[in-house]
Amino acid sequence: MKKYIPFLLVPVALAMVAGVFAPKLASEETLRAQAGAMIAAATGVVPRIDGPVSFTVLPRPAFTLEGVSLDDPRARLEAPSVRVVLDVLPLLAGHVRADSLELPEARLILADPGDGLAALGGFIAALGSADSRGDLVVTNGSVALARGDGTDMLVPDADLAIGWRGGANVTVAGTAIWRGERVAIDGKLSNLRALAAGEVGGLSLSLAAPLATASFTGGARLAGGPVVSGDLKIGAGELREALAWLGMDAPTERGFGPFALRGMALLSAQGAQLSQAKLDLDGNTGIGAFNLRIDGARPMLQGSLACETMDLSPYGELSLSNPHEGSWSREALDLGPARGLDVELRLSAGQVRLGGASFQRMAAAATAKSGRLSLTIGEAEAWGGVFRAAVQLSPRPAGPGMNVRLDLSADDVALGPALSDLFRVQRLEGTGSFRLSAIGGGASIMDIAEGLGGAFTLSGSEGALVGLDVGRILTRLEKRPLSGGDLRGGRTPFTDIVVDARIADGIVKLDRLDLSSSTLHVALTGESPVASRGLDLSGVAQLVRATPAGKLAKAAAPAPNPAPVPNAALASGSLAAASAASAESAAPSVAGVAASLAADNSALTASAAAPAVTVAFELPFIVRGDWLRPILLPDPQALIRRSGAGRALLAPSEKLEVSAPAP
C-alpha cells in the first residue's frame, strides 16, 4: 500500500500548484464575469461591481469583489466588499458554483413599500418560482428605509445567516439591534413553490430580546393576500418596560409586570384573531378570545376574557379621592389613549379584588369609541350584597379634561366597608342600600367636584354612627346641661337611617337625614360643598323613652295656652315649654327638622293600646368641620334654658317686673 502513496499525493500537489498560479493566470475581466454570474445566479439580480476583483484558492476557493451593489425596484444592497465562496466538489468537476456570499458591513436600503404585506408576498412568490439558491452571511450589516430624499435607520447592526433554496425554503438565523436592544432571530419559511402556487407553506419564527419574546409556528398562504395561522406565544418579564421599548404608552400608571399570551392566531392584512387564548398578567390568569380589525376607518379591538380570580390592586384603588391627603385629585385627566383605538371588551370573573374591595361573580364591560369611554359593572356580589356601576367618560367640546357621568347602586350591602372603599367615609355601619347619580366635567377630579350635579339616597338598618355617641351626650346634658366636655368618640347605634340629598353646582343639599332607635331620634339638614368637603348642617336630637299608653294620654292632654312646640302631642307641660323655646331660637332649618321629628313621633301614637315614646330631652345642634373631622356644637341657649342658670335673663319681661320696654 505504501508504494501507491506517492501517486495519491500527485493530485494534491497539482491542486496546490494551481492554487498558487491560477489567480495569476486568469484575467480580471474573466474573474469579474464569473463572479457576477454567480451572484446573479444566487440572488436573481445582476450586480454592479465598481472595484477590483480577485480570486484565491486557499483556505477555500473564493472571489473577492470590491464596491458591489445590487439594485431592485424593492430594495438596494450596497457592500464595500463581497466574498463569494465556491463549492469545492463542483469545482473539481469543472463547474463553478457559489457556496455562500459573505457581506461584511453591507447596507440594505428598502424602498417605501406602500402596501408592505403585498410587497412581501410578491418577494416570497418570486423566491418560490426561481431556481436560485445560496447562503448569505451578513456581519455588521444595517437596514434602512428610504423616505423622500433621506433614509430612516431600522436596524443599525445585524449579524445574520440567510439561506435560500429556490422553490424549497428560506432560513434566517442571527441577531440584530432594534430600538437599542439586540434581538435573536430564528425563522424558516418552507414549501416556497407551493406558496407561489397559492397553496399553504410552513412558517416558524422565533424572536428573543431582553424585554420580550415571541414565537410562531404554523402555516402561511399568499393567495388572496398574505395570511398566516398557527400557535402564537408572546411573553415579557415586565410588560410596561416592553411597551415603552416598542414605543407604546401603557393605559394605566401602575401595574403591567409579568406577561404571557398564548393562543391560535390568524393574521392577515385585515387584522388579527386570537382564539383559545390564555393570558397571564400581573399574576392573573384568564381564558378568552380577541379580534383586532385594522381595515376600517379606525382600529377596532373586540374580545372577551373569563377568570376565576382577578386581582386589580396593582392598577390602582377603587376610591376617587386621594387616600393620603383626604382630598380630590388635581392630576390632569386625559382621554388621549382612548382616541386611537375602538374597544369592546367583556370580562367575567368569579372573584375580583380591587384594593380592599372584593367582588364575586362579576360581569363587566368596557367600550371605547371615538374617544368616548364607557365602563360598566352589570352585576357583582360585593360587601355582602349586590353592586352595579356605570361610568361614561367623553372629551370636553372645548378645553382639556373630560365630561363624566357616574351611576352607582348597592343593595343590601355592609355600609361601612362599601362607603369606605368608594368614598373614604368611615362613619357609618350597618346594612342598607344606596344610589348615587352624578354628572360633571373638568380638567381634573377636583374641577369635576366643584361643578358636580346629581343625587344621593341611602337607607340602612341595625347599624351605628361611628365617632359620636349621641345617646350618651343627650343623657349627660339632660342631667347636667352645662357640664361641657368632649363630645367626640363612641358609637351611636340606630335601628333605621334614611338619607336624601341633591347635588347642584358642586354643593350637596341634604334634604333629609333621619336616624332613629328605641332611645333617640336625630334629624339633620344642611349643605356641604363637594370640593372642600366642608359641613354646614343643623339638626335636632331627641332622647326618647317608652311610655305606657295610659300615661301618654294624660301627658298629651292640652294645657292652657299651649306653646307651638314640635312635639306637643307627646311632651309634658314643662318639657314642652323648653322645647318651644329651643325651637324658636334655632335656625329655620332646625325648625323644619323639629317639625319632621314631630310628625314621626305623632305616627308612633297611632295605636293607643301599644306602648309609645315620649321626648325626654331635645337638643338643637349644628355640625361644622369636614367629612373626615366633623365637629358637633350643641345650641348653648337650649342648654342654658335647660339648666335654669339664665332664667332671670332669658325669661319674659313681665316676669322681671319691667312695666314697659326701655325707650
Side-chain angles (χ1 to χ4, degrees):
M1 183 65 183
K2 294 182 179 180
K3 62 181 180 179
Y4 296 107
I5 293 178
F7 296 98
L8 295 176
L9 294 177
V10 171
V12 177
L14 293 175
M16 295 179 63
V17 172
V20 174
F21 291 100
K24 298 180 180 180
L25 297 176
S27 65
E28 184 173 344
E29 290 74 12
T30 302
L31 296 177
R32 185 185 301 273
Q34 291 179 345
M38 284 185 288
I39 294 177
T43 63
V45 179
V46 177
R48 176 179 176 179
I49 305 173
D50 296 328
V53 178
S54 60
F55 177 72
T56 59
V57 175
L58 299 176
R60 291 187 61 185
F63 288 98
T64 301
L65 300 80
E66 305 290 340
V68 179
S69 61
L70 287 82
D71 288 309
D72 185 84
R74 296 180 292 266
R76 173 182 172 84
L77 178 64
E78 299 175 350
S81 65
V82 176
R83 187 167 182 263
V84 183
V85 181
L86 304 181
D87 195 345
V88 176
L89 293 179
L91 186 61
L92 295 176
H95 303 288
V96 180
R97 189 175 66 188
D99 181 60
S100 65
L101 303 178
E102 298 179 359
L103 284 76
E105 300 181 356
R107 186 185 187 197
L108 179 63
I109 303 175
L110 302 174
D112 191 345
D115 188 349
L117 288 177
L120 178 61
F123 176 71
I124 295 175
L127 284 178
S129 59
D131 294 328
S132 61
R133 56 179 295 163
D135 292 288
L136 183 65
V137 179
V138 180
T139 57
N140 299 325
S142 62
V143 180
L145 179 64
R147 293 190 182 278
D149 297 333
T151 58
D152 293 339
M153 184 61 68
L154 299 180
V155 180
D157 185 16
D159 298 321
L160 299 173
I162 305 171
W164 66 94
R165 303 293 182 266
N169 59 68
V170 175
T171 60
V172 179
T175 63
I177 299 295
W178 190 66
R179 292 182 177 269
E181 298 289 346
R182 184 165 292 276
V183 181
I185 304 171
D186 187 4
K188 182 178 181 180
L189 182 61
S190 59
N191 205 2
L192 296 180
R193 201 173 302 279
L195 280 171
E199 299 178 3
V200 178
L203 173 63
S204 63
L205 178 64
S206 174
L207 304 174
L211 296 177
T213 60
S215 65
F216 178 86
T217 303
R221 179 171 49 83
L222 299 180
V227 177
V228 298
S229 61
D231 186 15
L232 176 66
K233 299 179 183 178
I234 303 175
E238 291 289 337
L239 180 58
R240 181 172 295 275
E241 296 181 4
L243 291 175
W245 173 54
L246 296 173
M248 303 172 62
D249 294 329
T252 64
E253 294 184 358
R254 292 185 285 177
F256 292 157
F259 164 77
L261 176 64
R262 178 175 181 175
M264 296 301 298
L266 177 64
L267 311 177
S268 66
Q270 290 73 38
Q273 297 179 12
L274 191 64
S275 60
Q276 304 176 28
K278 181 180 180 182
L279 174 65
D280 294 304
L281 180 61
D282 290 324
N284 299 309
T285 300
I287 298 175
F290 303 92
N291 182 19
L292 175 64
R293 303 283 301 185
I294 58 175
D295 56 344
R298 292 170 55 86
M300 165 66 77
L301 175 63
Q302 298 173 312
S304 61
L305 188 66
C307 307
E308 292 185 2
T309 302
M310 177 176 292
D311 186 1
L312 300 180
S313 301
Y315 313 115
E317 299 185 14
L318 187 61
S319 176
L320 296 178
S321 62
N322 189 320
H324 303 294
E325 300 178 3
S327 61
W328 305 108
S329 173
R330 293 183 179 273
E331 295 183 4
L333 300 174
D334 184 18
L335 284 176
R339 294 190 178 101
L341 180 69
D342 291 344
V343 177
E344 292 182 4
L345 296 178
R346 300 288 185 269
L347 171 67
S348 60
Q351 182 180 19
V352 177
R353 291 189 296 272
L354 181 54
S358 178
F359 302 86
Q360 288 78 37
R361 297 182 180 89
M362 188 181 79
T367 60
K369 188 172 184 180
S370 302
R372 299 176 179 270
L373 181 63
S374 175
L375 304 174
T376 304
I377 299 178
E379 183 173 301
E381 297 179 6
W383 306 297
V386 178
F387 176 70
R388 299 177 181 87
V391 181
Q392 298 178 7
L393 310 176
S394 60
R396 303 185 72 189
M402 64 181 69
N403 293 326
V404 180
R405 180 179 180 85
L406 173 66
D407 293 286
L408 302 178
S409 67
D411 297 310
D412 300 323
V413 298
L415 294 175
L419 297 178
S420 175
D421 291 337
L422 291 172
F423 309 111
R424 298 290 171 186
V425 175
Q426 301 176 347
R427 296 290 179 180
L428 202 60
E429 296 177 351
T431 302
S433 304
F434 60 85
R435 304 283 187 277
L436 171 64
S437 177
I439 186 171
S444 66
I445 293 181
M446 174 60 81
D447 292 342
I448 295 174
E450 291 175 343
L452 196 66
F456 178 78
T457 61
L458 181 146
S459 61
S461 61
E462 305 302 330
L465 184 66
V466 180
L468 195 66
D469 190 344
V470 178
R472 176 181 60 85
I473 295 172
L474 291 178
T475 301
R476 188 185 69 193
L477 295 180
E478 178 189 17
K479 299 178 180 178
R480 301 187 302 277
L482 303 181
S483 60
D486 191 357
L487 303 182
R488 295 172 297 180
R491 300 166 68 255
T492 302
F494 61 78
T495 304
D496 298 291
I497 185 172
V498 178
V499 179
D500 289 319
R502 295 170 290 118
I503 310 174
D505 297 326
I507 298 177
V508 178
K509 301 180 184 297
L510 182 61
D511 297 326
R512 177 189 181 193
L513 190 157
D514 289 342
L515 182 151
S516 61
S517 70
S518 59
T519 58
L520 62 89
H521 291 164
V522 177
L524 196 64
T525 61
E527 296 182 349
S528 174
V530 178
S532 64
R533 305 189 183 194
L535 296 174
D536 185 10
L537 309 176
S538 59
V540 174
Q542 294 179 336
L543 189 65
V544 298
R545 295 188 177 92
T547 303
K551 294 184 178 180
L552 178 64
K554 296 180 180 180
N561 301 323
V565 298
N567 294 285
L570 299 178
S572 59
S574 59
L575 182 59
S579 299
S582 300
E584 291 173 356
S585 64
S589 60
V590 176
V593 171
S596 175
L597 287 173
D600 293 341
N601 292 334
S602 298
L604 297 175
T605 63
S607 175
V613 295
T614 57
V615 178
F617 177 53
E618 182 176 271
L619 178 65
F621 64 92
I622 61 175
V623 180
R624 297 294 184 265
D626 56 37
W627 295 0
L628 297 179
R629 293 167 293 275
I631 301 174
L632 188 147
L633 302 174
D635 182 4
Q637 292 188 16
L639 295 177
I640 293 174
R641 289 190 180 93
R642 178 71 180 178
S643 68
R647 186 171 300 172
L649 298 175
L650 300 177
S653 59
E654 60 269 14
K655 293 187 178 181
L656 295 176
E657 299 180 356
V658 178
S659 59

